[in-house]
Amino acid sequence: MQNPNEDTQWNDILREKGIIPNKDTEKTFTENEIVQIAEDAIKDAQIGKKLEDLNLDELDELEDEEDEKVILEYRMKRIREMTDFSKRANYGDVREISAVDYVDEVNKAGDGVWVVLHLYKQGVPLCKLINQFLEQLAMQHPATKFLKSISTTCVPNYSDKNLPTIFIYFEGNMKKQFIGPFAFGGMKLTRDVLEWMLAEAGTLKTELERDPRPAIKDVLMSSLKARGDEESDDDD
């Protein structure tokens, strides 16, 4: 076989066409390059090793490495989530606003900011109850901006029959509204129910697993049962 390193006219033509490589030239490697070459060779050998060739200890070690990768990825994800949350967790209370504050506090709340605005009036029991619940929810969900305003101060001539009212905004746009006592279920409203309503609207994340309000079917059955009991008493 012809030596590709020979200085012949034929070899020169083959080298020019890229058929054979250029003549070997001596290359010196630094210590770091030698270490890197060795590590790459070991890595390639490990990748090329078939799973069926591994013993139990090697399989356990491989499994542990994979578990560590999963745990590390999850940890990094949680760090990113916590960092993002800390940037947005600027609130934690219910701020009182007036009409002059509306544009800055609501329309210019900022990117990614949910705003819950409660229109209320002193002396309305359900409004007082909702303000108490909102104070608790604001501390629990500091990334959501909770606001309240006396109805006629924020919206001139706003009708008392519409109280309480909650407007929900995201990035300055209204997304949901709850108007009047029936929207909240009256004085039977609980903090969990209000939290669920706000979570359904997208304003916050809740740990509640299901809607705390009784299903319509359950309410109807309770009503029918109560009516049946009354009729039985009349028969007696």
Side-chain angles (χ1 to χ4, degrees):
M1 182 176 180
Q2 185 173 349
N3 186 351
N5 290 321
E6 278 188 52
D7 289 321
T8 65
Q9 186 176 5
W10 177 244
N11 280 349
D12 290 337
I13 295 173
L14 294 178
R15 291 191 193 98
E16 184 179 354
K17 300 295 183 180
I19 298 173
I20 63 174
N22 292 329
K23 292 175 62 178
D24 292 334
T25 56
E26 185 177 357
K27 180 181 179 180
T28 58
F29 295 92
T30 65
E31 183 178 350
N32 290 337
E33 287 176 330
I34 294 172
V35 171
Q36 186 62 50
I37 290 171
E39 289 178 350
D40 291 342
I42 294 171
K43 185 177 179 180
D44 291 341
Q46 290 175 338
I47 294 174
K49 195 172 185 179
K50 295 181 180 179
L51 289 176
E52 55 264 29
D53 295 335
L54 300 177
N55 59 37
L56 291 177
D57 291 338
E58 290 173 327
L59 285 171
D60 289 340
E61 183 179 352
L62 181 62
E63 184 178 353
D64 291 341
E65 290 175 357
E66 292 300 319
D67 289 342
E68 289 177 2
K69 289 179 182 178
V70 171
I71 293 172
L72 179 60
E73 289 176 1
Y74 178 76
R75 183 180 296 137
M76 296 302 296
K77 179 183 177 183
R78 290 292 296 134
I79 290 173
R80 288 193 297 269
E81 290 176 349
M82 292 171 65
T83 302
D84 182 60
F85 178 80
S86 65
K87 291 179 180 178
R88 294 184 290 109
N90 300 319
Y91 309 109
D93 59 358
V94 182
R95 304 179 186 180
E96 183 89 29
I97 67 168
S98 62
V100 295
D101 305 315
Y102 186 88
V103 173
D104 288 336
E105 295 291 343
V106 177
N107 296 117
K108 296 182 179 179
D111 295 337
V113 177
W114 284 93
V115 178
V116 177
L117 172 61
H118 177 211
L119 300 185
Y120 74 101
K121 230 176 190 180
Q122 300 288 354
V124 179
L126 186 53
C127 289
K128 182 178 180 180
L129 183 65
I130 288 177
N131 275 335
Q132 291 175 356
F133 292 156
L134 291 181
E135 290 285 353
Q136 299 169 14
L137 291 172
M139 290 188 290
Q140 186 178 350
H141 303 278
T144 301
K145 190 175 188 178
F146 288 88
L147 305 172
K148 64 180 180 179
S149 178
I150 295 176
S151 55
T152 50
T153 299
C154 191
V155 183
N157 302 317
Y158 196 74
S159 175
D160 288 354
K161 70 179 182 181
N162 292 330
L163 299 179
T165 292
I166 285 183
F167 293 137
I168 295 175
Y169 297 83
F170 180 67
E171 297 182 343
N173 299 311
M174 184 180 290
K175 296 297 182 180
K176 185 77 175 178
Q177 54 187 359
F178 302 100
I179 299 176
F182 292 107
F184 300 93
M187 290 300 293
K188 292 182 179 180
L189 178 71
T190 64
R191 201 205 75 157
D192 284 350
V193 169
L194 183 58
E195 180 177 350
W196 186 268
M197 292 168 65
L198 297 180
E200 279 190 320
T203 62
L204 50 84
K205 292 183 179 180
T206 179
E207 294 183 358
L208 298 173
E209 296 181 354
R210 61 187 295 272
D211 191 340
R213 292 170 292 190
I216 295 176
K217 180 180 177 181
D218 295 337
V219 174
L220 290 174
M221 292 300 293
S222 298
S223 177
L224 290 172
K225 184 177 184 301
R227 183 176 299 178
D229 291 340
E230 290 177 0
E231 292 176 352
S232 296
D233 292 341
D234 292 341
D235 292 341
D236 293 341

